[in-house]
Amino acid sequence: MPAATTTRQQIVDAADRLFYSQGVANTSFAHVAEAVGISRGNFYHHFRSKDEILDAVIAQRLAGTEAVLAAWQAAGEAPAERLRFFVHMLIDNQAPIMAHGCPVGSLCAELAKLDHPALGAARGLFALFRDWLSNEFARAGLGREAPGLAMHLLARSQGIAVMAQTFRDPAFIAAEVLLLEAWLAEVLTPAARVRQPPAAA
């Protein structure tokens, strides 16, 4: 890999971590340059503005999300198993979620407050999850209900992430994941006629 490409990637990776841990507004060129260990002059050789870095970070996150969804698709034998992969993401990532919240939700919330033009691109991260979840519910035979169920599960996971960051209680996350699994089992049961959202812990 060429040195220039390596440095650019290091900048994007460092910015991604800092945007997540301390926010876009609170992250400066100097913070990223210090994290990478390069001079400001060398930094400007790769990116001329923080918005350019943000665009690169969002593009990287989109690619990463697509890779995760593709891996879940390949690993799960049925929609129920693949949907549980999404639910268990809350446990798999509970440490960073308790420290900084959901990386997608926190980014979109901050960009919305800033009325930032990159919000549309960042929203694409949620769209990837929404569409994937909807497709899985549809594959499970839920047809017309699939889009609504997808949005409900996505919204519930975001609420859990917010509460997990607020209270920093792993037991809360574990309890909520069990409730989501029970809800999925009910929703995916062919005989089920009345589908209720999961009860709060």
Side-chain angles (χ1 to χ4, degrees), residues 23-179:
V24 176
N26 291 327
T27 300
S28 67
F29 265 26
H31 291 138
V32 181
E34 181 180 0
V36 179
I38 60 175
S39 66
R40 292 287 292 271
N42 192 12
F43 192 100
Y44 286 113
H45 175 71
H46 300 279
F47 294 98
R48 297 189 177 186
S49 71
K50 190 163 72 172
D51 285 350
E52 284 187 8
I53 304 173
L54 177 58
D55 289 342
V57 166
I58 292 172
Q60 178 164 284
R61 290 193 186 186
L62 285 167
T65 300
E66 289 174 343
V68 167
L69 296 177
W72 289 350
Q73 198 70 36
E77 295 184 0
E81 183 179 5
R82 293 191 288 267
L83 287 165
R84 282 195 294 272
F85 289 154
F86 174 83
V87 171
H88 276 263
M89 184 168 54
L90 290 163
I91 291 178
D92 296 339
N93 298 288
Q94 69 176 11
I97 287 173
M98 286 191 295
H100 309 298
C102 168
V104 179
S106 59
L107 177 64
C108 287
E110 181 179 10
L111 295 181
K113 288 181 181 179
L114 296 173
D115 196 22
H116 198 286
L119 175 61
R123 193 182 294 131
L125 292 160
F126 273 136
L128 284 175
F129 283 114
R130 178 199 63 201
D131 294 347
W132 185 86
L133 290 169
S134 183
N135 286 338
E136 290 305 313
F137 280 118
R139 288 188 180 99
L142 289 161
R144 282 179 282 181
E145 294 179 77
L149 291 169
M151 284 299 290
H152 174 78
L153 182 52
L154 189 58
R156 182 61 188 269
S157 70
Q158 285 300 298
I160 294 170
V162 170
M163 292 296 100
Q165 183 185 12
T166 301
F167 293 103
R168 302 190 175 183
D169 181 3
F172 165 77
I173 299 176
E176 288 295 316
V177 166
L178 287 175
L179 287 170

